[in-house]
Every structure is written in C-alpha cells, then in structure tokens.
Amino acid sequence: MEMAYECGKNLKLDLWMNLPGFDFGETIWWPIVVNKDKTVSQAVEAAKPVLQDALDAFWKK
C-alpha cells in the first residue's frame, strides 16, 4: 500500500526504471531477451537479492 501511495504522489516515480541499485534492463531484459543466456526463472532468481537490496535502500530513505 505504501509503495502504491508513494508512486501515486509523484507520477515521475517509476520504481522499475529509477530504483537506485537496480537496473531492470540489465538484470532482467538483457539476459532473457537479448543475450538469451538465461531462462525467465533464472533471471528472476538472480535478480531477487539485488532488487530486495534496492527496495530496502529506497524505503529506508
């Protein structure tokens, strides 16, 4: 709920594209679509700790 509220307050806030420490394209898009060296589940599993660290840093502001 808090995340939705924060995003709604500032329409320029796009957590997926502007989350410090997490690059969606590099972490998810490139390995699956461009390089084709990971499956979706492999890319998501690899991204989980990186994304969690970035979310923790964002919400601790």
Side-chain angles (χ1 to χ4, degrees):
M1 235 7 208
E2 185 177 348
M3 184 184 303
Y5 175 75
E6 289 294 325
C7 291
K9 278 188 349 186
N10 181 355
L11 296 178
K12 294 180 183 177
L13 177 61
D14 179 351
L15 290 179
W16 301 112
M17 300 306 287
N18 299 311
L19 191 59
F22 182 75
D23 181 345
F24 180 82
E26 181 182 322
T27 308
I28 303 290
W29 181 260
W30 279 90
I32 297 169
V33 177
V34 179
N35 295 339
K36 297 181 179 167
D37 59 357
K38 288 187 181 179
T39 65
V40 172
S41 60
Q42 289 171 327
V44 169
E45 283 301 315
K48 280 182 181 179
V50 177
L51 178 56
Q52 188 62 59
D53 289 345
L55 286 170
D56 290 345
F58 178 81
W59 290 111
K60 287 181 185 174
K61 53 180 169 165

